[in-house]
Amino acid sequence: MESGYNRKFTEEDPLRIVISGAAGFIGSHMCDRLAAENHHIVAMDNLLTGSERNLAQLEGHPLVRFVRHDVTEPVVIEGSVDAVLHMASLASPKDYLGHPVETLEVGSTGTRNMLELAREKGARFLFTSTSECYGDPLVHPQVETSWGNVNPVGPRSCYDESKRYGEALTMAYHRTFGVRTNIARIFNTYGPRMKLDDGRVVPSFVDQALRGAPLTVFGDGSQTRSFCYVSDLVEGLRLLMESEERYPVNLGNPAEITILEFAERIRRLTGTGSETVFRPLPEDDPKLRRPDISKARRLLGWEPRVSLEEGLASTIAYFRSLGAASA
Ligand code: UDP
């Protein structure tokens, strides 16, 4: 059989793909997408922050096999593998601040183990990195050639530096062993299957709004973020998997909004009477964030299609369906 290096990524020619972090928010959407394209999936997760509920729709699917495994332990897979997607991560500030050592481990040892698997199997490799590589950005919007402004010893460093190390390791495997690698720098992404209590601003505000509780704006709310709906992100990752670009590619929605305006948007879309309360800004919270996606547009022909209004409407509907309003 041809190795994963040369085989095409089409429905007619299905591949065997190993995904770490498969039970996570983005990982599970990626599994849905690839299973719908008839690829075989080994869906791996240690369920520290992921949930089997996110993969419930794929239970019994003939092409999907769930493996409970921590990627910081060596990854052994029988048979051929064509692509390795390393998506395991503690992506929410609340999660990584609560598990800093595990966060560093999954970005370092975990990335190494997944890269080793790709090398051993002659498979492609995709690393899901982050806009946090830019830290509190000195260049706005953030462009891939900017090297970032990261506090290496601050509370967020466990996440930022593990991803920066993961990027460096990915490039080293490409340069040293010729592994066909891709690096996605993912900006704030939202949608169904985010955890209601994961502390990030989208689930937090929606949860608070549905309960009629005050929306907790950190700092004065003048900091900005740019929110990408998960289906757009999955499309970008899918295209990147086939790209020959080895250097990082930003994937995110360039529509930028202040957190205060964002609270207003949530209030309007949920129809809540919740007031706004101000809480201290977390240490090293980036002041501005917006992706420059020129590179993704040029190389992948990709750009987001789902507006914030549309994406939030389906996200709010999802949280309502969980009974968040009555929580
Ligand atoms: N934030 C907020 N209230 C919350 C949660 C977050 O004002 O209840 C702010 C947070 O300080 C940051 C932005 O919203 O400026 C996005 O935070 P999130 O944790 O979603 O992701 P980040 O971009 O910081 O990784």
Side-chain angles (χ1 to χ4, degrees), residues 230-272:
V230 65
S231 61
D232 281 331
L233 181 81
V234 163
E235 178 65 19
L237 290 172
R238 182 67 191 78
L239 291 166
L240 186 60
M241 280 171 73
E242 290 181 86
S243 163
E244 299 310 312
E245 175 63 19
R246 306 292 161 229
Y247 287 101
V249 178
N250 287 341
L251 293 177
N253 191 320
E256 186 179 4
I257 185 169
T258 68
I259 293 304
L260 207 52
E261 284 174 282
F262 186 66
E264 200 42 57
R265 199 69 68 93
I266 296 286
R267 199 175 286 116
R268 185 157 53 72
L269 288 171
T270 54
T272 185

Short mmCIF file of all heavy atoms in Angstrom, two decimals, residues 230-272:
data_model
loop_
_atom_site.label_atom_id
_atom_site.label_comp_id
_atom_site.label_asym_id
_atom_site.label_seq_id
_atom_site.Cartn_x
_atom_site.Cartn_y
_atom_site.Cartn_z
N VAL A 230 -17.03 26.94 15.02
CA VAL A 230 -16.26 25.70 14.93
C VAL A 230 -16.30 25.06 13.54
O VAL A 230 -15.30 24.48 13.09
CB VAL A 230 -16.71 24.71 16.04
CG1 VAL A 230 -18.14 24.27 15.87
CG2 VAL A 230 -15.76 23.54 16.15
N SER A 231 -17.42 25.16 12.81
CA SER A 231 -17.47 24.53 11.48
C SER A 231 -16.48 25.20 10.52
O SER A 231 -15.88 24.55 9.66
CB SER A 231 -18.88 24.56 10.89
OG SER A 231 -19.31 25.90 10.74
N ASP A 232 -16.31 26.51 10.67
CA ASP A 232 -15.33 27.22 9.84
C ASP A 232 -13.91 26.74 10.18
O ASP A 232 -13.09 26.51 9.30
CB ASP A 232 -15.42 28.73 10.07
CG ASP A 232 -16.58 29.37 9.31
OD1 ASP A 232 -16.95 28.85 8.24
OD2 ASP A 232 -17.10 30.39 9.78
N LEU A 233 -13.66 26.60 11.47
CA LEU A 233 -12.32 26.16 11.87
C LEU A 233 -12.02 24.76 11.34
O LEU A 233 -10.93 24.50 10.81
CB LEU A 233 -12.18 26.18 13.40
CG LEU A 233 -10.78 25.75 13.76
CD1 LEU A 233 -9.79 26.88 13.62
CD2 LEU A 233 -10.70 25.13 15.12
N VAL A 234 -12.99 23.86 11.47
CA VAL A 234 -12.81 22.48 11.01
C VAL A 234 -12.51 22.46 9.51
O VAL A 234 -11.63 21.73 9.04
CB VAL A 234 -14.05 21.62 11.37
CG1 VAL A 234 -14.10 20.33 10.57
CG2 VAL A 234 -14.04 21.32 12.86
N GLU A 235 -13.19 23.29 8.77
CA GLU A 235 -12.93 23.38 7.32
C GLU A 235 -11.48 23.83 7.07
O GLU A 235 -10.78 23.28 6.22
CB GLU A 235 -13.93 24.37 6.69
CG GLU A 235 -13.77 24.61 5.21
CD GLU A 235 -14.04 23.38 4.36
OE1 GLU A 235 -14.69 22.45 4.86
OE2 GLU A 235 -13.57 23.37 3.20
N GLY A 236 -11.02 24.81 7.83
CA GLY A 236 -9.64 25.30 7.68
C GLY A 236 -8.63 24.21 8.02
O GLY A 236 -7.64 24.01 7.30
N LEU A 237 -8.88 23.47 9.10
CA LEU A 237 -7.96 22.39 9.49
C LEU A 237 -7.93 21.31 8.42
O LEU A 237 -6.88 20.76 8.08
CB LEU A 237 -8.39 21.77 10.83
CG LEU A 237 -8.21 22.65 12.07
CD1 LEU A 237 -8.87 21.98 13.28
CD2 LEU A 237 -6.73 22.90 12.36
N ARG A 238 -9.11 21.02 7.91
CA ARG A 238 -9.23 19.97 6.88
C ARG A 238 -8.40 20.33 5.64
O ARG A 238 -7.72 19.49 5.06
CB ARG A 238 -10.73 19.83 6.55
CG ARG A 238 -11.06 18.79 5.55
CD ARG A 238 -10.78 17.42 6.10
NE ARG A 238 -10.87 16.45 5.02
CZ ARG A 238 -9.93 16.25 4.12
NH1 ARG A 238 -8.81 16.94 4.18
NH2 ARG A 238 -10.08 15.34 3.18
N LEU A 239 -8.48 21.60 5.25
CA LEU A 239 -7.71 22.04 4.08
C LEU A 239 -6.21 22.04 4.40
O LEU A 239 -5.38 21.67 3.56
CB LEU A 239 -8.16 23.44 3.65
CG LEU A 239 -9.57 23.51 3.05
CD1 LEU A 239 -10.06 24.95 2.98
CD2 LEU A 239 -9.58 22.88 1.65
N LEU A 240 -5.88 22.46 5.61
CA LEU A 240 -4.46 22.51 5.99
C LEU A 240 -3.83 21.12 6.00
O LEU A 240 -2.65 20.96 5.67
CB LEU A 240 -4.32 23.18 7.37
CG LEU A 240 -2.90 23.43 7.84
CD1 LEU A 240 -2.14 24.36 6.89
CD2 LEU A 240 -2.89 24.01 9.26
N MET A 241 -4.62 20.10 6.34
CA MET A 241 -4.10 18.73 6.37
C MET A 241 -3.53 18.30 5.02
O MET A 241 -2.73 17.37 4.95
CB MET A 241 -5.23 17.75 6.72
CG MET A 241 -5.56 17.68 8.18
SD MET A 241 -7.06 16.70 8.45
CE MET A 241 -6.47 15.05 8.15
N GLU A 242 -3.98 18.92 3.96
CA GLU A 242 -3.51 18.53 2.63
C GLU A 242 -2.46 19.48 2.09
O GLU A 242 -1.97 19.31 0.97
CB GLU A 242 -4.68 18.47 1.66
CG GLU A 242 -5.58 17.31 1.96
CD GLU A 242 -6.74 17.24 0.99
OE1 GLU A 242 -6.56 16.65 -0.07
OE2 GLU A 242 -7.79 17.80 1.31
N SER A 243 -2.16 20.51 2.85
CA SER A 243 -1.25 21.54 2.37
C SER A 243 0.21 21.10 2.52
O SER A 243 0.55 20.31 3.40
CB SER A 243 -1.50 22.82 3.18
OG SER A 243 -0.43 23.70 3.04
N GLU A 244 1.04 21.65 1.70
CA GLU A 244 2.48 21.38 1.81
C GLU A 244 3.19 22.47 2.61
O GLU A 244 4.41 22.51 2.68
CB GLU A 244 3.12 21.26 0.42
CG GLU A 244 2.55 20.11 -0.43
CD GLU A 244 2.53 18.78 0.33
OE1 GLU A 244 3.56 18.43 0.93
OE2 GLU A 244 1.48 18.11 0.32
N GLU A 245 2.42 23.38 3.19
CA GLU A 245 3.02 24.46 3.99
C GLU A 245 3.48 23.92 5.34
O GLU A 245 2.70 23.32 6.07
CB GLU A 245 1.99 25.59 4.20
CG GLU A 245 2.45 26.71 5.10
CD GLU A 245 3.67 27.47 4.56
OE1 GLU A 245 3.95 27.38 3.35
OE2 GLU A 245 4.33 28.13 5.37
N ARG A 246 4.73 24.10 5.64
CA ARG A 246 5.28 23.58 6.90
C ARG A 246 5.23 24.62 8.02
O ARG A 246 5.24 24.27 9.19
CB ARG A 246 6.75 23.15 6.72
CG ARG A 246 6.96 22.18 5.60
CD ARG A 246 6.34 20.83 5.88
NE ARG A 246 6.18 20.10 4.63
CZ ARG A 246 5.07 19.50 4.25
NH1 ARG A 246 4.00 19.51 5.02
NH2 ARG A 246 4.99 18.87 3.12
N TYR A 247 5.26 25.88 7.69
CA TYR A 247 5.26 26.92 8.72
C TYR A 247 3.84 27.17 9.20
O TYR A 247 2.87 26.82 8.53
CB TYR A 247 5.91 28.20 8.16
CG TYR A 247 7.40 28.05 8.01
CD1 TYR A 247 7.98 27.79 6.78
CD2 TYR A 247 8.22 28.15 9.13
CE1 TYR A 247 9.34 27.62 6.66
CE2 TYR A 247 9.58 27.98 9.02
CZ TYR A 247 10.15 27.72 7.79
OH TYR A 247 11.49 27.54 7.68
N PRO A 248 3.69 27.80 10.37
CA PRO A 248 2.35 27.97 10.95
C PRO A 248 1.41 28.78 10.07
O PRO A 248 1.83 29.70 9.35
CB PRO A 248 2.63 28.73 12.25
CG PRO A 248 4.04 28.43 12.59
CD PRO A 248 4.75 28.27 11.28
N VAL A 249 0.13 28.41 10.14
CA VAL A 249 -0.92 29.12 9.41
C VAL A 249 -2.00 29.52 10.43
O VAL A 249 -2.52 28.67 11.15
CB VAL A 249 -1.54 28.23 8.31
CG1 VAL A 249 -2.68 28.96 7.61
CG2 VAL A 249 -0.48 27.80 7.30
N ASN A 250 -2.32 30.82 10.48
CA ASN A 250 -3.40 31.28 11.36
C ASN A 250 -4.74 30.79 10.85
O ASN A 250 -5.03 30.90 9.66
CB ASN A 250 -3.47 32.82 11.36
CG ASN A 250 -2.33 33.48 12.12
OD1 ASN A 250 -1.67 32.84 12.93
ND2 ASN A 250 -2.14 34.76 11.87
N LEU A 251 -5.57 30.28 11.77
CA LEU A 251 -6.95 29.96 11.43
C LEU A 251 -7.84 30.63 12.48
O LEU A 251 -7.75 30.33 13.68
CB LEU A 251 -7.18 28.45 11.44
CG LEU A 251 -6.47 27.64 10.36
CD1 LEU A 251 -6.75 26.15 10.55
CD2 LEU A 251 -6.88 28.07 8.94
N GLY A 252 -8.67 31.54 12.04
CA GLY A 252 -9.55 32.25 12.95
C GLY A 252 -10.40 33.20 12.16
O GLY A 252 -10.24 33.35 10.94
N ASN A 253 -11.32 33.85 12.86
CA ASN A 253 -12.21 34.81 12.19
C ASN A 253 -11.72 36.22 12.50
O ASN A 253 -11.58 36.57 13.67
CB ASN A 253 -13.64 34.61 12.71
CG ASN A 253 -14.65 35.38 11.90
OD1 ASN A 253 -14.39 36.51 11.50
ND2 ASN A 253 -15.78 34.78 11.65
N PRO A 254 -11.43 37.02 11.49
CA PRO A 254 -10.86 38.34 11.76
C PRO A 254 -11.86 39.38 12.30
O PRO A 254 -11.46 40.49 12.59
CB PRO A 254 -10.31 38.80 10.39
CG PRO A 254 -10.71 37.78 9.40
CD PRO A 254 -11.51 36.71 10.05
N ALA A 255 -13.13 39.01 12.47
CA ALA A 255 -14.10 39.98 12.98
C ALA A 255 -13.85 40.21 14.47
O ALA A 255 -14.12 39.33 15.30
CB ALA A 255 -15.52 39.49 12.74
N GLU A 256 -13.32 41.39 14.80
CA GLU A 256 -12.84 41.66 16.17
C GLU A 256 -13.90 42.41 16.98
O GLU A 256 -14.60 43.27 16.44
CB GLU A 256 -11.58 42.53 16.04
CG GLU A 256 -10.84 42.80 17.32
CD GLU A 256 -9.58 43.65 17.05
OE1 GLU A 256 -9.37 44.07 15.89
OE2 GLU A 256 -8.85 43.90 18.01
N ILE A 257 -13.98 42.11 18.26
CA ILE A 257 -15.01 42.73 19.10
C ILE A 257 -14.45 42.89 20.51
O ILE A 257 -13.67 42.04 20.97
CB ILE A 257 -16.29 41.83 19.06
CG1 ILE A 257 -17.45 42.46 19.82
CG2 ILE A 257 -16.04 40.44 19.55
CD1 ILE A 257 -18.80 41.74 19.57
N THR A 258 -14.82 43.98 21.19
CA THR A 258 -14.37 44.10 22.59
C THR A 258 -15.23 43.16 23.44
O THR A 258 -16.35 42.81 23.06
CB THR A 258 -14.53 45.54 23.15
OG1 THR A 258 -15.92 45.84 23.24
CG2 THR A 258 -13.81 46.56 22.29
N ILE A 259 -14.71 42.79 24.58
CA ILE A 259 -15.44 41.87 25.46
C ILE A 259 -16.71 42.55 25.98
O ILE A 259 -17.76 41.91 26.16
CB ILE A 259 -14.52 41.37 26.59
CG1 ILE A 259 -13.40 40.48 25.99
CG2 ILE A 259 -15.29 40.60 27.65
CD1 ILE A 259 -13.87 39.30 25.15
N LEU A 260 -16.65 43.87 26.18
CA LEU A 260 -17.84 44.60 26.62
C LEU A 260 -18.94 44.55 25.55
O LEU A 260 -20.11 44.29 25.84
CB LEU A 260 -17.46 46.05 26.94
CG LEU A 260 -18.33 46.78 27.96
CD1 LEU A 260 -18.47 45.99 29.25
CD2 LEU A 260 -17.72 48.16 28.26
N GLU A 261 -18.55 44.78 24.29
CA GLU A 261 -19.52 44.67 23.19
C GLU A 261 -20.05 43.23 23.07
O GLU A 261 -21.21 43.02 22.74
CB GLU A 261 -18.85 45.00 21.83
CG GLU A 261 -18.60 46.45 21.55
CD GLU A 261 -17.81 46.56 20.24
OE1 GLU A 261 -16.58 46.31 20.26
OE2 GLU A 261 -18.40 46.84 19.19
N PHE A 262 -19.15 42.30 23.32
CA PHE A 262 -19.54 40.89 23.21
C PHE A 262 -20.62 40.56 24.25
O PHE A 262 -21.60 39.87 23.96
CB PHE A 262 -18.30 39.99 23.39
CG PHE A 262 -18.59 38.54 23.16
CD1 PHE A 262 -18.95 38.08 21.90
CD2 PHE A 262 -18.52 37.63 24.20
CE1 PHE A 262 -19.23 36.74 21.68
CE2 PHE A 262 -18.80 36.30 23.99
CZ PHE A 262 -19.16 35.85 22.73
N ALA A 263 -20.45 41.10 25.46
CA ALA A 263 -21.46 40.88 26.51
C ALA A 263 -22.81 41.45 26.05
O ALA A 263 -23.86 40.82 26.25
CB ALA A 263 -21.01 41.56 27.81
N GLU A 264 -22.75 42.61 25.42
CA GLU A 264 -23.97 43.24 24.91
C GLU A 264 -24.65 42.35 23.87
O GLU A 264 -25.86 42.17 23.84
CB GLU A 264 -23.60 44.61 24.31
CG GLU A 264 -24.75 45.57 24.17
CD GLU A 264 -25.66 45.57 25.40
OE1 GLU A 264 -25.19 45.82 26.53
OE2 GLU A 264 -26.85 45.27 25.20
N ARG A 265 -23.84 41.77 22.99
CA ARG A 265 -24.34 40.89 21.93
C ARG A 265 -25.05 39.68 22.54
O ARG A 265 -26.12 39.27 22.12
CB ARG A 265 -23.16 40.43 21.07
CG ARG A 265 -23.49 39.90 19.70
CD ARG A 265 -24.00 40.97 18.77
NE ARG A 265 -22.95 41.92 18.42
CZ ARG A 265 -22.18 41.82 17.35
NH1 ARG A 265 -22.34 40.83 16.52
NH2 ARG A 265 -21.27 42.74 17.08
N ILE A 266 -24.42 39.09 23.55
CA ILE A 266 -25.00 37.90 24.21
C ILE A 266 -26.32 38.30 24.88
O ILE A 266 -27.32 37.57 24.83
CB ILE A 266 -24.03 37.33 25.27
CG1 ILE A 266 -22.75 36.81 24.60
CG2 ILE A 266 -24.70 36.24 26.10
CD1 ILE A 266 -22.88 35.53 23.85
N ARG A 267 -26.31 39.47 25.48
CA ARG A 267 -27.52 39.93 26.18
C ARG A 267 -28.68 40.05 25.18
O ARG A 267 -29.79 39.60 25.42
CB ARG A 267 -27.22 41.28 26.85
CG ARG A 267 -28.21 41.60 27.92
CD ARG A 267 -27.89 42.87 28.67
NE ARG A 267 -26.79 42.71 29.58
CZ ARG A 267 -25.62 43.34 29.49
NH1 ARG A 267 -25.39 44.17 28.51
NH2 ARG A 267 -24.69 43.13 30.37
N ARG A 268 -28.38 40.64 24.03
CA ARG A 268 -29.42 40.84 23.01
C ARG A 268 -29.91 39.49 22.45
O ARG A 268 -31.10 39.26 22.33
CB ARG A 268 -28.86 41.73 21.89
CG ARG A 268 -29.86 42.12 20.82
CD ARG A 268 -29.45 43.38 20.11
NE ARG A 268 -28.09 43.35 19.57
CZ ARG A 268 -27.70 42.65 18.52
NH1 ARG A 268 -28.56 41.89 17.87
NH2 ARG A 268 -26.45 42.69 18.09
N LEU A 269 -28.96 38.61 22.14
CA LEU A 269 -29.34 37.34 21.49
C LEU A 269 -30.08 36.39 22.43
O LEU A 269 -30.87 35.56 21.98
CB LEU A 269 -28.11 36.64 20.91
CG LEU A 269 -27.52 37.31 19.66
CD1 LEU A 269 -26.17 36.67 19.31
CD2 LEU A 269 -28.47 37.18 18.47
N THR A 270 -29.80 36.49 23.72
CA THR A 270 -30.50 35.60 24.66
C THR A 270 -31.76 36.27 25.22
O THR A 270 -32.60 35.58 25.80
CB THR A 270 -29.60 35.22 25.86
OG1 THR A 270 -29.12 36.44 26.46
CG2 THR A 270 -28.43 34.37 25.44
N GLY A 271 -31.83 37.59 25.07
CA GLY A 271 -32.98 38.31 25.63
C GLY A 271 -32.96 38.36 27.15
O GLY A 271 -33.99 38.53 27.80
N THR A 272 -31.77 38.22 27.72
CA THR A 272 -31.66 38.18 29.17
C THR A 272 -31.74 39.57 29.79
O THR A 272 -31.44 40.57 29.14
CB THR A 272 -30.31 37.54 29.59
OG1 THR A 272 -30.27 37.42 31.00
CG2 THR A 272 -29.13 38.38 29.16
#
